[in-house]
Amino acid sequence: MIRTRFAPSPTGYLHIGGVRTALFSWAYAKKNNGNFILRIEDTDLERSTPESVQAILDGIQWVGLDYDEGPFYQTERFARYKEVIQNLIDSGYAYYCYCSKEELNEMRTKAEANKEHFVYDRRWRPEPGKTLPPIPQGINPVVRFKMPTEGTTSWNDLVKGPISFDNKELDDLIIARSDGTPTYNLCVVVDDYDMGITHVIRGDDHVNNTPKQINILKALKTDVPEYAHLPMILNESGSKMSKRRDAVSVVDYDKLGILPEALLNYLARLGWSHQDDEIFSMTQFIEWFDLKDVNPAASRFDMEKLLWLNGEYIKNADLTQLATLVLPRLQALNIDNATVDNLVPILDLVRDRANNLNDLAQESIYFYQKQTPTEKELKKFWNEESKERLLRFADQLETIPESDWNAENIHALFEPFCEQEEIKMGKLGMPLRIQVCGTGKTPSIDEVLALLGKEEVLKRIRE
């Protein structure tokens, strides 16, 4: 069975690049009737926080990526890691190293002076016929893994193609710190081994970790999974995305009013494509997805494109569900008389005018609370005659029975009234918008008045 995993570290927010990694891992498992596993790599005890763990879980739930197993926590598996470390020592694949920080710094300085790649000189590595230094007092050793020193470590990456590392460049990496705690590369390998991971799909910032992990897996006498390293997501200027400049946390996109299904659709198209299809469901994505179609080059995040796509999803969303999402945003604007039921017809009228949930709330607000027109609108559309003209139009509106109050009957009053007043429709429509809504930017004014209701419209005109 195909088994993939998403394994974030809870040292901050859930990054948008991490969401795309999770999406591709999830889709690959679903496509192949496999399992998608969620693992929390929380061994960095100083930086990992419960808040970050919860942010990851909330983010995965928000975008709707359901996992088949987990979440598993590395901090709950320390006994297993120590067992594997001891087995590697006993089988000759790992050893104790008593080098001090000063000795390591001296090696590093020497390598830099010679303009060489720094590799630990393996002075504590046991070899046939080699005499090790005397064990120093007062130093707790680390445990290092014995990397091969000849040949290459290679794999056929499912995204990037063949990748090879000269083993001479690989360090004898530390797999247990001096306090006994396991390190990242050891924990990842043991987890992937124990959980039967067949395909490791992750960001290409992990390419340099892969040869280390492959050699540990070989030492454990187990199958090596397939690797697929996804390219980085860059911002619109081609730089690495940063929290200071860009929306990088999945929470940021929720705050921006992006629908999760639109975000997933957009992320799916970042570095992957299916012919010219732009908008598709996750069911379609699973059906079409294949790692061979992932572009190995970095992708640029285009916020304008995401907002366009989000607008398309808004236009086709279920109105009740859309109202449920917009309602709290209206409440945050101090609108306390909005409900899902009275918001549904409003959204049906205005949703073509917004590409995010926040703007939808702004487009809906004047139905609940008249806004204050801008000086520019007043200067352009309001004059001395506007007040008296609108009061006369209110008298016309008064003639429509409550039972017949609809956009069609309201619209029928416009032309004869304008002829009577000897004006064009703009001289009525724009002042009417400003007086009733507090803004000149509304949909068709007859539909707006119909939704507001006869009593509310007459009240706003006459107040």
Side-chain angles (χ1 to χ4, degrees), residues 307-410:
L307 286 170
W308 169 81
L309 187 64
N310 197 56
E312 295 301 303
Y313 270 86
I314 285 173
K315 290 174 188 174
N316 294 286
D318 176 85
L319 282 167
T320 301
Q321 292 179 342
L322 196 60
T324 303
L325 297 172
V326 174
L327 182 60
R329 297 167 197 269
L330 275 172
Q331 292 169 337
L333 296 171
N334 298 316
I335 301 300
D336 55 12
N337 55 336
T339 66
V340 168
D341 288 342
N342 63 32
L343 186 53
V344 163
I346 294 171
L347 293 179
D348 192 25
L349 178 60
V350 303
R351 64 170 163 179
D352 286 355
R353 301 171 61 83
N355 59 20
N356 66 82
L357 299 178
N358 296 332
D359 285 354
L360 261 188
Q362 290 290 347
E363 288 286 343
S364 306
I365 195 170
Y366 56 81
F367 286 94
Y368 300 99
Q369 185 180 91
K370 179 181 172 181
Q371 301 302 288
T372 302
T374 64
E375 289 294 328
K376 184 178 179 180
E377 286 178 320
L378 287 173
K379 186 175 181 180
K380 186 173 182 180
F381 300 118
W382 194 266
N383 56 47
E384 290 298 321
E385 298 175 1
S386 299
K387 176 182 175 182
E388 296 303 323
R389 181 176 292 132
L390 288 183
L391 289 174
R392 291 193 292 273
F393 186 66
D395 292 337
Q396 294 291 312
L397 291 171
E398 189 88 65
T399 65
I400 301 176
E402 190 75 45
S403 59
D404 294 330
W405 184 264
N406 56 49
E408 185 180 358
N409 289 333
I410 294 169

